[in-house]
Amino acid sequence: MKLAFVLFEYFPFGGLQRDMLAIAQAAVARGHQVTIFTRAWEGGKPKDITVHLLPVTAGSNHRRDVQFAGQVSELWADFDLRVGFNKMPGLDWYYAADGCLSERYSWPRSWLPRYRSKLDMEHAVFAQGSTTRILSISPPQKSLFQDHYGTAEQRFIDLPPGIRRDRVLPQCYESVRMAHREKLDLTDQQPMLLFVGSGFRTKGLDRAIHVLAELPEAQLFVVGDDRPERFAALARRLGVMSRLHFMGGQDNVPEWLWSADLLLHLAYAENTGTVLLEAAIAGLPVLTTKACGYSPYIEQAAMGQVMNDNASLAMMALAAKTLLMQGRDDWRQRGRVFAASADIYDLVEHAVSALEAGDDGEQE
């Protein structure tokens, strides 16, 4: 099949972007032809996949989205399937990595042009009159879409997580951990807190910095690309800037997971939270919130603590202290059990199989 994959912007350290590229490469490996339409591409381009750049000129972000959707709709007629990784009209399939905006944008904000435009895009995908099918990766968000739009159950294909197996704790983790911590000028006894993600605000970096302030011996390392200014200002106000380290996007995420002592992912909104499962199979305990779609896995695996969304900063700090007091070997053993037993690795294969099975884009 000729597949059109559509994405507003590609950058190498985004979770949605990684999923899109992995699905595209798996489709090519099965003999399909993939063209990626996007308005911006950062980093190297993949082999055997055409990347078609469509520059847009609109000034605001929501107008750029609309302009891009209009441009790509004029180019995808000859493709067998149109697969969107952002919400827009005319898709055969939508990969639902983003949460339900109708749940978040209530009146009167929903009538502002910026939000109204985004809601219109969402309506085009999920409304009862739409024929777009949905690759669903978050059961809680799926329920919200059905509540707001009445989307038929048969339009959804539920996918398992797609965690990369290179995150699993290896037998040689001790030497990797020691070498990595030496590079960071950390002893084995110093608590190393880790934050991974490129959306600092929604993923709760401010909460992580407040937790850091209550752990005077700890260092917090932030792995991900975003604007750090407001968070650095918060750290300075709390007197912890010397213990907060912005590392930017990193290609060696497994080494960070194996070297740290606690993952802080106290998100305000998170459709899934892939890093939660990456940490768990790496034997790294997790402190997170119920806002994360994958948080039930952490509870089921006993790999950390899941806080209520309205938990106080003091409660979060206390939970972090408690998790750090538990033996690291115990966490590693739990992580190995979870890695060996959980069905969390096959998202990409299931996604491509769904596209192949529903190649006419119609409801079954």
Side-chain angles (χ1 to χ4, degrees), residues 70-136:
Q71 288 180 340
V72 75
S73 68
E74 297 176 357
L75 300 173
W76 64 19
D78 293 335
F79 288 84
D80 297 301
L81 290 178
R82 290 144 286 275
V83 185
F85 291 81
N86 297 106
K87 301 162 188 168
M88 64 187 70
L91 299 173
D92 296 308
W93 287 89
Y94 168 62
Y95 180 79
D98 292 327
C100 180
L101 298 181
S102 287
E103 177 71 10
R104 294 165 54 192
Y105 297 163
S106 57
W107 187 90
R109 184 166 66 161
S110 61
W111 286 102
L112 296 174
R114 172 187 175 187
Y115 301 108
R116 183 72 260 155
S117 176
K118 292 179 179 295
L119 288 168
D120 288 344
M121 293 279 208
E122 184 171 276
H123 184 272
V125 172
F126 290 96
Q128 293 186 37
S130 171
T131 59
T132 301
R133 300 197 65 190
I134 300 110
L135 298 170
S136 174

Side-chain angles (χ1 to χ4, degrees), residues 14-271:
L16 167 63
Q17 287 73 14
R18 289 197 302 268
D19 287 352
M20 182 279 299
L21 188 56
I23 295 169
Q25 291 171 328
V28 169
R30 294 196 192 183
H32 303 295
Q33 179 182 338
V34 176
T35 297
I36 299 172
F37 292 92
T38 184
R39 67 187 183 212
W41 187 281
E42 179 182 330
K45 295 178 181 176
K47 297 180 181 178
D48 302 321
I49 296 175
T50 300
V51 176
H52 192 142
L53 289 172
L54 295 174
V56 294
T57 58
S60 63
N61 191 54
H62 69 276
R63 288 193 177 95
R64 287 195 294 271
D65 293 348
V66 172
Q67 184 181 3
F68 173 79
Q71 288 180 340
V72 75
S73 68
E74 297 176 357
L75 300 173
W76 64 19
D78 293 335
F79 288 84
D80 297 301
L81 290 178
R82 290 144 286 275
V83 185
F85 291 81
N86 297 106
K87 301 162 188 168
M88 64 187 70
L91 299 173
D92 296 308
W93 287 89
Y94 168 62
Y95 180 79
D98 292 327
C100 180
L101 298 181
S102 287
E103 177 71 10
R104 294 165 54 192
Y105 297 163
S106 57
W107 187 90
R109 184 166 66 161
S110 61
W111 286 102
L112 296 174
R114 172 187 175 187
Y115 301 108
R116 183 72 260 155
S117 176
K118 292 179 179 295
L119 288 168
D120 288 344
M121 293 279 208
E122 184 171 276
H123 184 272
V125 172
F126 290 96
Q128 293 186 37
S130 171
T131 59
T132 301
R133 300 197 65 190
I134 300 110
L135 298 170
S136 174
I137 61 176
S138 173
Q141 291 298 317
K142 173 184 172 181
S143 296
L144 290 176
F145 286 125
Q146 291 179 309
D147 289 344
H148 283 276
Y149 295 100
T151 316
E153 177 69 26
Q154 62 266 28
R155 289 175 55 197
F156 290 88
I157 296 291
D158 296 323
L159 301 180
I163 308 306
R164 293 169 57 175
R165 294 180 185 270
D166 64 357
R167 272 58 173 163
V168 174
L169 187 70
Q171 295 299 322
C172 65
Y173 77 87
E174 288 185 356
S175 60
V176 176
R177 171 184 168 91
M178 182 180 299
H180 193 72
R181 289 173 73 100
E182 284 181 357
K183 293 178 184 177
L184 302 173
D185 198 26
L186 287 178
T187 69
D188 192 57
Q189 301 305 314
Q190 286 179 278
M192 177 181 171
L193 309 178
L194 183 64
F195 176 99
V196 178
S198 295
F200 292 171
R201 183 180 61 83
T202 58
K203 297 180 190 302
L205 180 56
D206 61 330
R207 289 170 163 174
I209 294 171
H210 279 284
V211 169
L212 175 66
E214 299 299 320
L215 299 170
E217 302 300 320
Q219 305 274 332
L220 173 59
F221 293 84
V222 179
V223 174
D225 281 328
D226 204 345
R227 296 174 63 92
E229 294 84 4
R230 61 176 288 196
F231 303 97
L234 173 62
R236 284 190 290 270
R237 288 199 300 272
L238 295 175
V240 298
M241 190 61 210
S242 63
R243 298 188 287 119
L244 174 63
H245 312 278
F246 292 97
M247 310 306 295
Q250 299 283 315
D251 293 322
N252 60 336
V253 170
E255 293 182 17
W256 289 93
L257 296 172
W258 303 333
S259 302
D261 298 303
L262 179 64
L263 178 79
L264 298 178
H265 197 84
L266 297 163
Y268 295 95
E270 181 74 282
N271 194 20

Side-chain angles (χ1 to χ4, degrees), residues 302-315:
M303 274 303 299
Q305 186 165 342
V306 179
M307 309 296 296
N308 289 327
D309 296 336
N310 61 352
S312 68
L313 294 171
M315 292 174 63

